[in-house]
Amino acid sequence: MKVCIIDDDEIYQYTMSLNLKSLDSIGEIIVFNDGLEANNFMLDNLNNQEELPDIIFLDINMPVMDGFQFMEEYEKIKSKLTKNIIIYMISSSVDPVDIEKATQINDISDYLTKPIRQQQLIDILEKLD
């Protein structure tokens, strides 16, 4: 399984990558520092969808393009995807406004608060099998 982490926090990127690498079902891990980098990657690989992730862990608060802006752009290209990509919005925010906004977006599977525990990752990945 190919996993994508979109988050500007390098410590979170590192710990999340470490947790994911310890799981047998994880193959490649792709990391982006903001939504724009990730969006450009998605656009560059529309004709090579094997390169696209199976699951995305998307932060809300990032510079350049935040998680909600990324989702707006994702909606524009979704119809061109033959691959079903599962997206989890991840944030340290417990603001009800953020949570409500995330739950209103159909392509977001769930809203999770940081830090993500190893067992949460296992549970998420088991649902995908």
PDB file of all heavy atoms in Angstrom, residues 15-52:
ATOM      1  N   THR A  15       7.759  10.891  12.730  1.00  0.00           N
ATOM      2  CA  THR A  15       7.146   9.891  13.605  1.00  0.00           C
ATOM      3  C   THR A  15       6.062   9.104  12.876  1.00  0.00           C
ATOM      4  O   THR A  15       5.944   7.889  13.053  1.00  0.00           O
ATOM      5  CB  THR A  15       6.568  10.527  14.886  1.00  0.00           C
ATOM      6  OG1 THR A  15       5.630  11.538  14.530  1.00  0.00           O
ATOM      7  CG2 THR A  15       7.661  11.119  15.745  1.00  0.00           C
ATOM      8  N   MET A  16       5.294   9.774  12.036  1.00  0.00           N
ATOM      9  CA  MET A  16       4.255   9.087  11.265  1.00  0.00           C
ATOM     10  C   MET A  16       4.899   8.097  10.294  1.00  0.00           C
ATOM     11  O   MET A  16       4.438   6.960  10.163  1.00  0.00           O
ATOM     12  CB  MET A  16       3.405  10.122  10.525  1.00  0.00           C
ATOM     13  CG  MET A  16       2.232   9.541   9.814  1.00  0.00           C
ATOM     14  SD  MET A  16       0.933   9.029  10.952  1.00  0.00           S
ATOM     15  CE  MET A  16      -0.437   9.002   9.821  1.00  0.00           C
ATOM     16  N   SER A  17       5.950   8.516   9.618  1.00  0.00           N
ATOM     17  CA  SER A  17       6.660   7.627   8.690  1.00  0.00           C
ATOM     18  C   SER A  17       7.216   6.420   9.429  1.00  0.00           C
ATOM     19  O   SER A  17       7.122   5.286   8.944  1.00  0.00           O
ATOM     20  CB  SER A  17       7.795   8.367   7.977  1.00  0.00           C
ATOM     21  OG  SER A  17       7.283   9.366   7.133  1.00  0.00           O
ATOM     22  N   LEU A  18       7.789   6.649  10.592  1.00  0.00           N
ATOM     23  CA  LEU A  18       8.349   5.565  11.396  1.00  0.00           C
ATOM     24  C   LEU A  18       7.258   4.568  11.787  1.00  0.00           C
ATOM     25  O   LEU A  18       7.444   3.347  11.665  1.00  0.00           O
ATOM     26  CB  LEU A  18       9.000   6.164  12.647  1.00  0.00           C
ATOM     27  CG  LEU A  18      10.148   5.421  13.280  1.00  0.00           C
ATOM     28  CD1 LEU A  18      11.293   5.230  12.303  1.00  0.00           C
ATOM     29  CD2 LEU A  18      10.635   6.185  14.502  1.00  0.00           C
ATOM     30  N   ASN A  19       6.124   5.071  12.249  1.00  0.00           N
ATOM     31  CA  ASN A  19       5.003   4.195  12.616  1.00  0.00           C
ATOM     32  C   ASN A  19       4.500   3.405  11.413  1.00  0.00           C
ATOM     33  O   ASN A  19       4.212   2.209  11.521  1.00  0.00           O
ATOM     34  CB  ASN A  19       3.854   5.005  13.216  1.00  0.00           C
ATOM     35  CG  ASN A  19       4.097   5.390  14.650  1.00  0.00           C
ATOM     36  OD1 ASN A  19       4.817   4.717  15.373  1.00  0.00           O
ATOM     37  ND2 ASN A  19       3.505   6.491  15.073  1.00  0.00           N
ATOM     38  N   LEU A  20       4.388   4.073  10.269  1.00  0.00           N
ATOM     39  CA  LEU A  20       3.896   3.396   9.073  1.00  0.00           C
ATOM     40  C   LEU A  20       4.874   2.332   8.583  1.00  0.00           C
ATOM     41  O   LEU A  20       4.466   1.236   8.197  1.00  0.00           O
ATOM     42  CB  LEU A  20       3.634   4.422   7.960  1.00  0.00           C
ATOM     43  CG  LEU A  20       2.408   5.304   8.163  1.00  0.00           C
ATOM     44  CD1 LEU A  20       2.437   6.489   7.214  1.00  0.00           C
ATOM     45  CD2 LEU A  20       1.128   4.501   7.992  1.00  0.00           C
ATOM     46  N   LYS A  21       6.172   2.641   8.609  1.00  0.00           N
ATOM     47  CA  LYS A  21       7.183   1.691   8.130  1.00  0.00           C
ATOM     48  C   LYS A  21       7.192   0.407   8.949  1.00  0.00           C
ATOM     49  O   LYS A  21       7.599  -0.636   8.449  1.00  0.00           O
ATOM     50  CB  LYS A  21       8.573   2.327   8.149  1.00  0.00           C
ATOM     51  CG  LYS A  21       8.786   3.329   7.052  1.00  0.00           C
ATOM     52  CD  LYS A  21      10.160   3.993   7.179  1.00  0.00           C
ATOM     53  CE  LYS A  21      10.296   5.111   6.163  1.00  0.00           C
ATOM     54  NZ  LYS A  21      11.519   5.882   6.346  1.00  0.00           N
ATOM     55  N   SER A  22       6.740   0.484  10.185  1.00  0.00           N
ATOM     56  CA  SER A  22       6.734  -0.706  11.032  1.00  0.00           C
ATOM     57  C   SER A  22       5.582  -1.655  10.696  1.00  0.00           C
ATOM     58  O   SER A  22       5.517  -2.759  11.217  1.00  0.00           O
ATOM     59  CB  SER A  22       6.657  -0.304  12.505  1.00  0.00           C
ATOM     60  OG  SER A  22       5.380   0.211  12.814  1.00  0.00           O
ATOM     61  N   LEU A  23       4.685  -1.240   9.833  1.00  0.00           N
ATOM     62  CA  LEU A  23       3.531  -2.060   9.465  1.00  0.00           C
ATOM     63  C   LEU A  23       3.801  -2.807   8.164  1.00  0.00           C
ATOM     64  O   LEU A  23       4.286  -2.235   7.190  1.00  0.00           O
ATOM     65  CB  LEU A  23       2.287  -1.181   9.321  1.00  0.00           C
ATOM     66  CG  LEU A  23       1.936  -0.337  10.550  1.00  0.00           C
ATOM     67  CD1 LEU A  23       0.772   0.580  10.244  1.00  0.00           C
ATOM     68  CD2 LEU A  23       1.629  -1.230  11.743  1.00  0.00           C
ATOM     69  N   ASP A  24       3.454  -4.080   8.148  1.00  0.00           N
ATOM     70  CA  ASP A  24       3.738  -4.940   6.998  1.00  0.00           C
ATOM     71  C   ASP A  24       3.040  -4.506   5.714  1.00  0.00           C
ATOM     72  O   ASP A  24       3.568  -4.689   4.631  1.00  0.00           O
ATOM     73  CB  ASP A  24       3.342  -6.386   7.299  1.00  0.00           C
ATOM     74  CG  ASP A  24       4.213  -7.000   8.371  1.00  0.00           C
ATOM     75  OD1 ASP A  24       5.361  -6.537   8.550  1.00  0.00           O
ATOM     76  OD2 ASP A  24       3.739  -7.943   9.036  1.00  0.00           O
ATOM     77  N   SER A  25       1.854  -3.953   5.828  1.00  0.00           N
ATOM     78  CA  SER A  25       1.065  -3.643   4.634  1.00  0.00           C
ATOM     79  C   SER A  25       1.513  -2.380   3.907  1.00  0.00           C
ATOM     80  O   SER A  25       1.026  -2.077   2.826  1.00  0.00           O
ATOM     81  CB  SER A  25      -0.415  -3.513   5.008  1.00  0.00           C
ATOM     82  OG  SER A  25      -0.589  -2.491   5.965  1.00  0.00           O
ATOM     83  N   ILE A  26       2.456  -1.639   4.485  1.00  0.00           N
ATOM     84  CA  ILE A  26       2.890  -0.372   3.904  1.00  0.00           C
ATOM     85  C   ILE A  26       4.075  -0.579   2.980  1.00  0.00           C
ATOM     86  O   ILE A  26       5.076  -1.186   3.351  1.00  0.00           O
ATOM     87  CB  ILE A  26       3.257   0.654   5.000  1.00  0.00           C
ATOM     88  CG1 ILE A  26       2.070   0.900   5.930  1.00  0.00           C
ATOM     89  CG2 ILE A  26       3.736   1.965   4.387  1.00  0.00           C
ATOM     90  CD1 ILE A  26       0.829   1.406   5.258  1.00  0.00           C
ATOM     91  N   GLY A  27       3.945  -0.071   1.769  1.00  0.00           N
ATOM     92  CA  GLY A  27       5.040  -0.090   0.816  1.00  0.00           C
ATOM     93  C   GLY A  27       5.743   1.250   0.842  1.00  0.00           C
ATOM     94  O   GLY A  27       6.463   1.579   1.770  1.00  0.00           O
ATOM     95  N   GLU A  28       5.434   2.064  -0.149  1.00  0.00           N
ATOM     96  CA  GLU A  28       6.077   3.372  -0.276  1.00  0.00           C
ATOM     97  C   GLU A  28       5.343   4.430   0.546  1.00  0.00           C
ATOM     98  O   GLU A  28       4.121   4.410   0.666  1.00  0.00           O
ATOM     99  CB  GLU A  28       6.090   3.778  -1.751  1.00  0.00           C
ATOM    100  CG  GLU A  28       6.838   5.047  -2.034  1.00  0.00           C
ATOM    101  CD  GLU A  28       6.854   5.401  -3.519  1.00  0.00           C
ATOM    102  OE1 GLU A  28       6.415   4.577  -4.341  1.00  0.00           O
ATOM    103  OE2 GLU A  28       7.300   6.506  -3.836  1.00  0.00           O
ATOM    104  N   ILE A  29       6.125   5.363   1.097  1.00  0.00           N
ATOM    105  CA  ILE A  29       5.569   6.514   1.820  1.00  0.00           C
ATOM    106  C   ILE A  29       6.043   7.775   1.103  1.00  0.00           C
ATOM    107  O   ILE A  29       7.238   7.969   0.907  1.00  0.00           O
ATOM    108  CB  ILE A  29       6.028   6.536   3.288  1.00  0.00           C
ATOM    109  CG1 ILE A  29       5.557   5.265   4.005  1.00  0.00           C
ATOM    110  CG2 ILE A  29       5.495   7.784   3.992  1.00  0.00           C
ATOM    111  CD1 ILE A  29       6.135   5.078   5.383  1.00  0.00           C
ATOM    112  N   ILE A  30       5.081   8.602   0.695  1.00  0.00           N
ATOM    113  CA  ILE A  30       5.376   9.856   0.007  1.00  0.00           C
ATOM    114  C   ILE A  30       5.051  10.985   0.975  1.00  0.00           C
ATOM    115  O   ILE A  30       3.985  10.980   1.593  1.00  0.00           O
ATOM    116  CB  ILE A  30       4.509  10.018  -1.254  1.00  0.00           C
ATOM    117  CG1 ILE A  30       4.511   8.759  -2.100  1.00  0.00           C
ATOM    118  CG2 ILE A  30       4.948  11.211  -2.070  1.00  0.00           C
ATOM    119  CD1 ILE A  30       3.376   8.707  -3.101  1.00  0.00           C
ATOM    120  N   VAL A  31       5.943  11.958   1.109  1.00  0.00           N
ATOM    121  CA  VAL A  31       5.733  13.054   2.054  1.00  0.00           C
ATOM    122  C   VAL A  31       5.797  14.392   1.319  1.00  0.00           C
ATOM    123  O   VAL A  31       6.698  14.625   0.515  1.00  0.00           O
ATOM    124  CB  VAL A  31       6.799  13.020   3.172  1.00  0.00           C
ATOM    125  CG1 VAL A  31       6.594  14.176   4.140  1.00  0.00           C
ATOM    126  CG2 VAL A  31       6.760  11.685   3.913  1.00  0.00           C
ATOM    127  N   PHE A  32       4.829  15.248   1.609  1.00  0.00           N
ATOM    128  CA  PHE A  32       4.793  16.604   1.067  1.00  0.00           C
ATOM    129  C   PHE A  32       4.639  17.589   2.215  1.00  0.00           C
ATOM    130  O   PHE A  32       3.956  17.310   3.191  1.00  0.00           O
ATOM    131  CB  PHE A  32       3.639  16.776   0.080  1.00  0.00           C
ATOM    132  CG  PHE A  32       3.728  15.865  -1.097  1.00  0.00           C
ATOM    133  CD1 PHE A  32       2.939  14.723  -1.173  1.00  0.00           C
ATOM    134  CD2 PHE A  32       4.623  16.121  -2.129  1.00  0.00           C
ATOM    135  CE1 PHE A  32       3.033  13.865  -2.258  1.00  0.00           C
ATOM    136  CE2 PHE A  32       4.724  15.266  -3.215  1.00  0.00           C
ATOM    137  CZ  PHE A  32       3.931  14.140  -3.273  1.00  0.00           C
ATOM    138  N   ASN A  33       5.241  18.772   2.063  1.00  0.00           N
ATOM    139  CA  ASN A  33       5.202  19.793   3.113  1.00  0.00           C
ATOM    140  C   ASN A  33       3.985  20.694   3.060  1.00  0.00           C
ATOM    141  O   ASN A  33       3.721  21.425   4.012  1.00  0.00           O
ATOM    142  CB  ASN A  33       6.463  20.662   3.049  1.00  0.00           C
ATOM    143  CG  ASN A  33       7.684  19.873   3.436  1.00  0.00           C
ATOM    144  OD1 ASN A  33       7.693  19.198   4.452  1.00  0.00           O
ATOM    145  ND2 ASN A  33       8.724  19.944   2.622  1.00  0.00           N
ATOM    146  N   ASP A  34       3.271  20.682   1.940  1.00  0.00           N
ATOM    147  CA  ASP A  34       2.057  21.493   1.835  1.00  0.00           C
ATOM    148  C   ASP A  34       1.160  20.915   0.745  1.00  0.00           C
ATOM    149  O   ASP A  34       1.568  20.063  -0.034  1.00  0.00           O
ATOM    150  CB  ASP A  34       2.386  22.969   1.571  1.00  0.00           C
ATOM    151  CG  ASP A  34       3.129  23.193   0.272  1.00  0.00           C
ATOM    152  OD1 ASP A  34       2.569  22.920  -0.805  1.00  0.00           O
ATOM    153  OD2 ASP A  34       4.285  23.660   0.327  1.00  0.00           O
ATOM    154  N   GLY A  35      -0.054  21.418   0.710  1.00  0.00           N
ATOM    155  CA  GLY A  35      -1.034  20.919  -0.238  1.00  0.00           C
ATOM    156  C   GLY A  35      -0.674  21.177  -1.684  1.00  0.00           C
ATOM    157  O   GLY A  35      -1.015  20.394  -2.567  1.00  0.00           O
ATOM    158  N   LEU A  36       0.020  22.275  -1.951  1.00  0.00           N
ATOM    159  CA  LEU A  36       0.391  22.595  -3.337  1.00  0.00           C
ATOM    160  C   LEU A  36       1.362  21.562  -3.896  1.00  0.00           C
ATOM    161  O   LEU A  36       1.194  21.101  -5.026  1.00  0.00           O
ATOM    162  CB  LEU A  36       0.984  23.996  -3.426  1.00  0.00           C
ATOM    163  CG  LEU A  36       1.337  24.473  -4.842  1.00  0.00           C
ATOM    164  CD1 LEU A  36       0.102  24.488  -5.743  1.00  0.00           C
ATOM    165  CD2 LEU A  36       1.967  25.856  -4.790  1.00  0.00           C
ATOM    166  N   GLU A  37       2.375  21.184  -3.105  1.00  0.00           N
ATOM    167  CA  GLU A  37       3.313  20.143  -3.553  1.00  0.00           C
ATOM    168  C   GLU A  37       2.555  18.853  -3.865  1.00  0.00           C
ATOM    169  O   GLU A  37       2.804  18.210  -4.888  1.00  0.00           O
ATOM    170  CB  GLU A  37       4.349  19.836  -2.461  1.00  0.00           C
ATOM    171  CG  GLU A  37       5.400  20.883  -2.265  1.00  0.00           C
ATOM    172  CD  GLU A  37       6.371  20.507  -1.135  1.00  0.00           C
ATOM    173  OE1 GLU A  37       6.287  19.383  -0.584  1.00  0.00           O
ATOM    174  OE2 GLU A  37       7.215  21.346  -0.804  1.00  0.00           O
ATOM    175  N   ALA A  38       1.651  18.479  -2.980  1.00  0.00           N
ATOM    176  CA  ALA A  38       0.880  17.249  -3.171  1.00  0.00           C
ATOM    177  C   ALA A  38      -0.038  17.356  -4.386  1.00  0.00           C
ATOM    178  O   ALA A  38      -0.147  16.416  -5.179  1.00  0.00           O
ATOM    179  CB  ALA A  38       0.071  16.948  -1.918  1.00  0.00           C
ATOM    180  N   ASN A  39      -0.683  18.495  -4.542  1.00  0.00           N
ATOM    181  CA  ASN A  39      -1.568  18.691  -5.687  1.00  0.00           C
ATOM    182  C   ASN A  39      -0.791  18.615  -7.000  1.00  0.00           C
ATOM    183  O   ASN A  39      -1.248  17.985  -7.958  1.00  0.00           O
ATOM    184  CB  ASN A  39      -2.291  20.035  -5.569  1.00  0.00           C
ATOM    185  CG  ASN A  39      -3.294  20.234  -6.673  1.00  0.00           C
ATOM    186  OD1 ASN A  39      -4.246  19.471  -6.810  1.00  0.00           O
ATOM    187  ND2 ASN A  39      -3.086  21.256  -7.488  1.00  0.00           N
ATOM    188  N   ASN A  40       0.372  19.237  -7.036  1.00  0.00           N
ATOM    189  CA  ASN A  40       1.196  19.178  -8.251  1.00  0.00           C
ATOM    190  C   ASN A  40       1.598  17.743  -8.561  1.00  0.00           C
ATOM    191  O   ASN A  40       1.597  17.320  -9.725  1.00  0.00           O
ATOM    192  CB  ASN A  40       2.441  20.060  -8.108  1.00  0.00           C
ATOM    193  CG  ASN A  40       2.090  21.531  -8.170  1.00  0.00           C
ATOM    194  OD1 ASN A  40       1.035  21.925  -8.672  1.00  0.00           O
ATOM    195  ND2 ASN A  40       2.955  22.372  -7.629  1.00  0.00           N
ATOM    196  N   PHE A  41       1.931  16.969  -7.534  1.00  0.00           N
ATOM    197  CA  PHE A  41       2.271  15.557  -7.712  1.00  0.00           C
ATOM    198  C   PHE A  41       1.077  14.794  -8.295  1.00  0.00           C
ATOM    199  O   PHE A  41       1.231  13.982  -9.213  1.00  0.00           O
ATOM    200  CB  PHE A  41       2.701  14.939  -6.375  1.00  0.00           C
ATOM    201  CG  PHE A  41       2.946  13.472  -6.450  1.00  0.00           C
ATOM    202  CD1 PHE A  41       4.159  12.979  -6.912  1.00  0.00           C
ATOM    203  CD2 PHE A  41       1.978  12.559  -6.049  1.00  0.00           C
ATOM    204  CE1 PHE A  41       4.392  11.613  -6.995  1.00  0.00           C
ATOM    205  CE2 PHE A  41       2.197  11.199  -6.120  1.00  0.00           C
ATOM    206  CZ  PHE A  41       3.412  10.721  -6.590  1.00  0.00           C
ATOM    207  N   MET A  42      -0.103  15.057  -7.764  1.00  0.00           N
ATOM    208  CA  MET A  42      -1.315  14.388  -8.263  1.00  0.00           C
ATOM    209  C   MET A  42      -1.537  14.731  -9.738  1.00  0.00           C
ATOM    210  O   MET A  42      -1.788  13.851 -10.553  1.00  0.00           O
ATOM    211  CB  MET A  42      -2.538  14.803  -7.444  1.00  0.00           C
ATOM    212  CG  MET A  42      -2.457  14.498  -5.968  1.00  0.00           C
ATOM    213  SD  MET A  42      -2.688  12.784  -5.554  1.00  0.00           S
ATOM    214  CE  MET A  42      -4.440  12.635  -5.661  1.00  0.00           C
ATOM    215  N   LEU A  43      -1.426  16.009 -10.068  1.00  0.00           N
ATOM    216  CA  LEU A  43      -1.619  16.437 -11.458  1.00  0.00           C
ATOM    217  C   LEU A  43      -0.570  15.822 -12.379  1.00  0.00           C
ATOM    218  O   LEU A  43      -0.894  15.375 -13.493  1.00  0.00           O
ATOM    219  CB  LEU A  43      -1.564  17.967 -11.556  1.00  0.00           C
ATOM    220  CG  LEU A  43      -2.728  18.713 -10.920  1.00  0.00           C
ATOM    221  CD1 LEU A  43      -2.446  20.212 -10.879  1.00  0.00           C
ATOM    222  CD2 LEU A  43      -4.029  18.412 -11.653  1.00  0.00           C
ATOM    223  N   ASP A  44       0.673  15.763 -11.927  1.00  0.00           N
ATOM    224  CA  ASP A  44       1.756  15.195 -12.736  1.00  0.00           C
ATOM    225  C   ASP A  44       1.572  13.706 -12.990  1.00  0.00           C
ATOM    226  O   ASP A  44       2.138  13.166 -13.944  1.00  0.00           O
ATOM    227  CB  ASP A  44       3.124  15.413 -12.067  1.00  0.00           C
ATOM    228  CG  ASP A  44       3.564  16.868 -12.071  1.00  0.00           C
ATOM    229  OD1 ASP A  44       2.971  17.678 -12.824  1.00  0.00           O
ATOM    230  OD2 ASP A  44       4.490  17.200 -11.299  1.00  0.00           O
ATOM    231  N   ASN A  45       0.807  13.040 -12.137  1.00  0.00           N
ATOM    232  CA  ASN A  45       0.663  11.592 -12.247  1.00  0.00           C
ATOM    233  C   ASN A  45      -0.741  11.132 -12.633  1.00  0.00           C
ATOM    234  O   ASN A  45      -1.060   9.953 -12.472  1.00  0.00           O
ATOM    235  CB  ASN A  45       1.097  10.931 -10.932  1.00  0.00           C
ATOM    236  CG  ASN A  45       2.593  10.978 -10.773  1.00  0.00           C
ATOM    237  OD1 ASN A  45       3.319  10.250 -11.432  1.00  0.00           O
ATOM    238  ND2 ASN A  45       3.064  11.871  -9.911  1.00  0.00           N
ATOM    239  N   LEU A  46      -1.542  12.031 -13.183  1.00  0.00           N
ATOM    240  CA  LEU A  46      -2.887  11.644 -13.604  1.00  0.00           C
ATOM    241  C   LEU A  46      -2.845  10.527 -14.654  1.00  0.00           C
ATOM    242  O   LEU A  46      -3.743   9.698 -14.713  1.00  0.00           O
ATOM    243  CB  LEU A  46      -3.659  12.846 -14.157  1.00  0.00           C
ATOM    244  CG  LEU A  46      -4.256  13.771 -13.114  1.00  0.00           C
ATOM    245  CD1 LEU A  46      -4.948  14.949 -13.789  1.00  0.00           C
ATOM    246  CD2 LEU A  46      -5.210  13.041 -12.195  1.00  0.00           C
ATOM    247  N   ASN A  47      -1.807  10.511 -15.477  1.00  0.00           N
ATOM    248  CA  ASN A  47      -1.694   9.475 -16.505  1.00  0.00           C
ATOM    249  C   ASN A  47      -0.831   8.305 -16.057  1.00  0.00           C
ATOM    250  O   ASN A  47      -0.539   7.407 -16.834  1.00  0.00           O
ATOM    251  CB  ASN A  47      -1.123  10.080 -17.799  1.00  0.00           C
ATOM    252  CG  ASN A  47      -2.076  11.094 -18.391  1.00  0.00           C
ATOM    253  OD1 ASN A  47      -3.291  10.899 -18.374  1.00  0.00           O
ATOM    254  ND2 ASN A  47      -1.542  12.191 -18.892  1.00  0.00           N
ATOM    255  N   ASN A  48      -0.387   8.326 -14.814  1.00  0.00           N
ATOM    256  CA  ASN A  48       0.441   7.265 -14.260  1.00  0.00           C
ATOM    257  C   ASN A  48      -0.063   6.981 -12.846  1.00  0.00           C
ATOM    258  O   ASN A  48       0.645   7.176 -11.872  1.00  0.00           O
ATOM    259  CB  ASN A  48       1.915   7.700 -14.256  1.00  0.00           C
ATOM    260  CG  ASN A  48       2.835   6.584 -13.889  1.00  0.00           C
ATOM    261  OD1 ASN A  48       2.453   5.413 -13.874  1.00  0.00           O
ATOM    262  ND2 ASN A  48       4.066   6.931 -13.559  1.00  0.00           N
ATOM    263  N   GLN A  49      -1.291   6.519 -12.752  1.00  0.00           N
ATOM    264  CA  GLN A  49      -1.970   6.450 -11.474  1.00  0.00           C
ATOM    265  C   GLN A  49      -1.394   5.408 -10.517  1.00  0.00           C
ATOM    266  O   GLN A  49      -1.698   5.422  -9.332  1.00  0.00           O
ATOM    267  CB  GLN A  49      -3.466   6.269 -11.690  1.00  0.00           C
ATOM    268  CG  GLN A  49      -4.008   7.506 -12.406  1.00  0.00           C
ATOM    269  CD  GLN A  49      -5.489   7.685 -12.296  1.00  0.00           C
ATOM    270  OE1 GLN A  49      -6.131   7.193 -11.387  1.00  0.00           O
ATOM    271  NE2 GLN A  49      -6.041   8.432 -13.225  1.00  0.00           N
ATOM    272  N   GLU A  50      -0.528   4.524 -11.006  1.00  0.00           N
ATOM    273  CA  GLU A  50       0.145   3.588 -10.097  1.00  0.00           C
ATOM    274  C   GLU A  50       1.039   4.356  -9.121  1.00  0.00           C
ATOM    275  O   GLU A  50       1.366   3.854  -8.050  1.00  0.00           O
ATOM    276  CB  GLU A  50       1.003   2.570 -10.861  1.00  0.00           C
ATOM    277  CG  GLU A  50       0.248   1.721 -11.850  1.00  0.00           C
ATOM    278  CD  GLU A  50       0.000   2.440 -13.178  1.00  0.00           C
ATOM    279  OE1 GLU A  50       0.913   3.112 -13.707  1.00  0.00           O
ATOM    280  OE2 GLU A  50      -1.128   2.322 -13.682  1.00  0.00           O
ATOM    281  N   GLU A  51       1.457   5.558  -9.516  1.00  0.00           N
ATOM    282  CA  GLU A  51       2.305   6.394  -8.659  1.00  0.00           C
ATOM    283  C   GLU A  51       1.518   7.086  -7.557  1.00  0.00           C
ATOM    284  O   GLU A  51       2.087   7.536  -6.572  1.00  0.00           O
ATOM    285  CB  GLU A  51       3.039   7.456  -9.493  1.00  0.00           C
ATOM    286  CG  GLU A  51       4.077   6.892 -10.433  1.00  0.00           C
ATOM    287  CD  GLU A  51       5.192   6.170  -9.695  1.00  0.00           C
ATOM    288  OE1 GLU A  51       5.693   6.708  -8.691  1.00  0.00           O
ATOM    289  OE2 GLU A  51       5.542   5.059 -10.118  1.00  0.00           O
ATOM    290  N   LEU A  52       0.215   7.176  -7.730  1.00  0.00           N
ATOM    291  CA  LEU A  52      -0.624   7.875  -6.755  1.00  0.00           C
ATOM    292  C   LEU A  52      -0.814   7.031  -5.501  1.00  0.00           C
ATOM    293  O   LEU A  52      -0.791   5.798  -5.560  1.00  0.00           O
ATOM    294  CB  LEU A  52      -1.978   8.217  -7.375  1.00  0.00           C
ATOM    295  CG  LEU A  52      -1.939   9.183  -8.562  1.00  0.00           C
ATOM    296  CD1 LEU A  52      -3.335   9.394  -9.112  1.00  0.00           C
ATOM    297  CD2 LEU A  52      -1.300  10.505  -8.185  1.00  0.00           C
TER     298      LEU A  52
END
